[in-house]
Amino acid sequence: MLLAVILPLMAAVVGIVIWQNYEKSTETALNAGRQLFTNLKTEVALQQTSLLGPVKSALDVLAASPELTPDGLDAFEKPFMALLDAYPHMAAIRAGFETGDVLEVVTVRAMYGGTIATIAADDRVKFAARRTRPGNGSPQWRFFDRRLEALSGTTETPIGSDPLHMPWYVAGMNAPGLELETLPYILSDTGTEGISATRGIVTANGVTGALAADIALRQYSLPLENILTEPEQQVFLFTGNGLLLANTDYGAVVPDMSTAPIPGDPVKLRQVDSLSQPAAQAIVREFKAMGSSFSLRTLAIGESQIMASVTRLAVGDGPDGSGVYLAFALPVSTFTGVFIGIGRDAALFSLAVLVLSIPIIVVIAGRLTAPLANLARATDRIAKLDLSARVSEPTSIAEIATLGRSLDRMTSALTQIAKFVPKSLVQDLIQSGADLGVGGERRAIGVLFTDVKDFTPLSESLPPEELMAQMSAYFDAVVRVVLEHCGTVDKFVGDAVFAFWNAPTLQSDFEIATCRAALAVKAATNALNETWRQEGKPAWYTRIGVHTGDAVVGNVGSSDRLDYTAIGDTVNMGSRIEGLNKFYGTQILVSDAMAARVQEVFLLRPVDTVVPKGGSAPFKIWELVGERDQISGEDSARCEAWHGVAAACQRRDWRSAAAELTRYRAMAPNDGVAAVYAARLAKFERDPPPPEWDGVERFSDK
C-alpha cells in the first residue's frame, strides 16, 4: 500500500518538474527568438540602407565641384579611383557631357574576361580608365596600380557601347540636381547585371551632363547569402511593385539569359511571387493583404508557424519608384522544436529513475536547466550586441548542443553584418524600439550645425583629389564625435554637418550631451587643423551653432520619398545661430533656450540679443566657453571681466562700458565679440541711440 502511494506521488512530482522545465525552456527560447529576430533584422536593414547612402553623398560632392566640366574632366580620374577604393562595392564611376566628353573609371576585377582578364591577373593592376573626347576615334583603356600610378604598355581595345546611349547617362540627363536609380540593366565594361545611382550635372546652362556610380545587382544579395541556412528561414528584398532585388540565392533574382548579354540591355527581374518557399509565399500574401510593411508577427504555414516582418528601407524610391522593402522570417520551431525532444527524453528517463529518491531527481533536473540558464544569459548578451563570447558550451544533451550551435551561427552572422554600420546606432534602435516605417512625432531635441569658414574659395583652390581627402578626414572627425556623444547625424550639406539629440532614442540629458559634443567637435577639428598646418595643408576652421526646442522627427516626407530627419523652426533657427559666428568672430554660439538648461554645467559668455534672418522674436545668444569643472583660470577671469562690459551696456553707460572693454581687450586682444562691441561703443559715443532703442541686433543676412 505504501509503495502504491509513493510511486504515484513520485510520478506526479517528476511530471510537474518536467512540465515546468519544458514551459520555462520554451518561453526562454521564444524570448531569445524574438530578440535575435529583431537584432538580425535591424542589422540587415541598416546594412542595406548604407549600401547606397555613401555613394549618393559622394555624387553630391563631385557634382557640386565647379571643375566638373568637359575641359576639367581629366582632373577627376584619380578622385574617381579614390572613391572606388573607398567603396569597393561600386564597380565603376562615370561622367559624361552632351559635348561628347566622357570619363569612365572601372575596378579591373569587375571587367570582362579575355585579354582584359589577362591584364587583370597582374597583381599590380587595380583600376582602368577610359577618356572619350569628341572626334578622337576609338579611345583606349589605361591601367593603374593600387597607388593610382599609370602602368606602361597596358592599353587595350575598348569594350562596350556608346556611353552617351547607356541608361546611366539617359536617366541622369533627366534628373537635374536629383539622385535616382536606374532600372537594372547590363553594365558596360563589366557585362553583369547592375543598377546605376545617377544624377544630372547642372550648370547655368541647365543640365549639361550626368554623373553615375555602377553597383552590381549581386551586391544587394551578397550580405544575405550566409545569414540563414534553413528552407523556412527567409530574407529577401523587393520593390513595392513586386520586383525581387536580393535573395539568399542570387539565381532566384535574375533569370538565366538565353543569349550573351549586351551592355545597356534591360534586365528583367523575377517577381517576388515566383519564390517557391512556403515561408516566402506567406510573407508576400500578408504584405499584399496589408498593403504596406508590417512589424513582427506570427504567420501560419500549414501546421507550423514563422516569425515574420516586412520593413520599408530608407534608401530612396528604389529602381522602379515604388520603394524598397526587406522581408525577414524565422520559423518558431527553430527555438521551440528542440525542447519537444528534451521533454520526450525526460519523460522516458523519469520512468527509469522513478524508484530513485526525489533529491536525485532534483539533481538531474538541475543538470537539464543549467545549460539552458547559460543559454538564456548568452541571449541577454546578444540583445546588448555583446558578440565577443562564444554561446555554445560542452553538454551531453544533443538538443541543447544544437540550440547552442544555432545561436553561435547567428552570433557570427551578426558579427559580420555589424562591420557595415555603427554598433552604437544599432543598439539605440533596438533598445528604443524605434520603427523604420513611415511617420514622425513632435519631440524636444538638441540640434548642432557646423560650417567651415570660407569653404567655397578653399574648395576652389584645392585639386579635387586633395579636397576629397581632406573632406573625408574632416567628416570622419566630426561624425565620430557626434556618435561618441550619442547623437544622430541627419545629413551633410556641402561642408556642413547637421546632427541632433534625443531621437530616435530618448535621452534625459540631451541638452548637456549636445553642448559636450559641440566642445568636442571644436577640439577635434582644431587638432586636425594643427596636423594639416604641419603638413602644409590649409586649415578648415569650424563654426558651430547649438539650439534646442520642439521639432518633428522620424521618417517624414511625401508618400513616395521618405527620410529619417528632423524638421521645424528649431532646426532652421539652429542653422541661423551657427551663421552668426561669422559676424561675432566666435566658434560656438548657443541660443538662450539652450543656455538656460545647461548654465549650471557649462561656462557661458553673454554675446548679444538678436533676431536672426527669418526670426520674429529677439533672444539672447551666448558663447559656449567650456565645462565649469574643466575651465582654465584664464578663461574664467576673461568671462568675469566681460560681465563688467555687459553690465555697463545694459545700463546704457557707454563711457563706463568703453573703459571696461579696454581692460577686457588687454586680456583678450583678438576677441571677435569685443571688436564688435568696440565699433558699437565708438558709434554710440558719437551718436547715442534713441531712448526707445531696445538693444536688439537684427540681421537681414544668414
Side-chain angles (χ1 to χ4, degrees), residues 47-83:
Q47 187 275 327
Q48 291 291 339
T49 301
S50 67
L51 195 63
L52 275 177
V55 176
K56 290 184 176 180
S57 296
L59 294 182
D60 282 341
V61 173
L62 290 170
S65 174
E67 297 182 18
L68 188 59
T69 62
D71 293 335
L73 203 52
D74 291 335
F76 286 83
E77 192 172 75
K78 290 189 177 180
F80 282 9
M81 295 180 196
L83 278 174

Side-chain angles (χ1 to χ4, degrees), residues 65-76 95-103 131-134 169 201 203 205 208-210:
S65 174
E67 297 182 18
L68 188 59
T69 62
D71 293 335
L73 203 52
D74 291 335
F76 286 83
F97 292 87
E98 57 189 1
T99 60
D101 289 273
V102 181
L103 174 62
R131 176 70 164 90
T132 304
R133 293 180 173 85
Y169 181 81
I201 300 173
T203 67
N205 297 322
T208 60

Side-chain angles (χ1 to χ4, degrees), residues 206-225:
V207 182
T208 60
L211 180 66
D214 293 348
I215 300 176
L217 192 61
R218 188 179 183 87
Q219 289 291 337
Y220 291 87
S221 294
L222 282 177
L224 311 181
E225 291 182 352

